[in-house]
Amino acid sequence: RSQLLHCHGELKNNKGQHLHVFLFEAILVITRPLTQNDQLFYQVYRQPIPVRDLILEDLPDGEVRLGGSIRGAFTNNNERAKNFFRVSFRDRTRGQSHSLQANDSFNTQQ
């Protein structure tokens, strides 16, 4: 059980979905913000990753391909995706990896 919240913030995945990520002392939780009856809730998006099992990789600009049929139709193919990083389990068989995009390079480093 993790009680200390180190940081949190809004990021996007490679499909352009807005996600809210919480980094607690012992676990990383990726959520989807939802509004219901004018109240904001966070729904767990994927399996949380314990910090002891977490791998964090900075991805070079242009390495991540932006997905989504509508988004891809209106973006310039020469445009490089920037400020992406990947979070995953140390043991890849235990769960998925997630490519996340910060608003800028400063937020990527946070």
Side-chain angles (χ1 to χ4, degrees):
R1 186 176 144 123
S2 191
Q3 296 178 356
L4 180 61
L5 177 65
H6 285 293
C7 66
H8 67 95
E10 186 176 289
L11 300 170
K12 285 193 251 180
N13 65 10
N14 58 332
K15 295 176 184 164
Q17 294 175 307
H18 290 267
L19 302 172
H20 202 93
V21 178
F22 297 88
L23 177 60
F24 291 95
E25 179 180 14
I27 199 158
L28 178 76
V29 181
I30 301 171
T31 68
R32 222 183 344 224
L34 301 172
T35 305
Q36 191 173 45
N37 298 328
D38 294 327
Q39 278 202 302
L40 179 63
F41 295 92
Y42 295 101
Q43 178 186 46
V44 174
Y45 177 66
R46 293 285 189 258
Q47 181 180 358
I49 304 174
V51 170
R52 70 178 180 278
D53 297 329
L54 178 69
I55 291 180
L56 177 66
E57 303 169 71
D58 187 26
L59 301 175
D61 290 349
E63 182 173 307
V64 174
R65 186 159 179 234
L66 299 177
S69 58
I70 293 175
R71 183 179 176 99
F74 296 107
T75 47
N76 181 351
N77 289 337
N78 296 328
E79 201 174 300
R80 294 164 55 113
K82 296 181 180 180
N83 306 316
F84 269 91
F85 60 96
R86 181 178 299 130
V87 293
S88 59
F89 280 90
R90 191 172 304 282
D91 177 359
R92 302 266 181 178
T93 63
R94 290 199 47 212
Q96 298 176 320
S97 68
H98 306 284
S99 296
L100 302 170
Q101 183 181 33
N103 292 333
D104 55 39
S105 59
F106 175 78
N107 286 325
T108 303
Q109 295 171 5
Q110 298 302 309

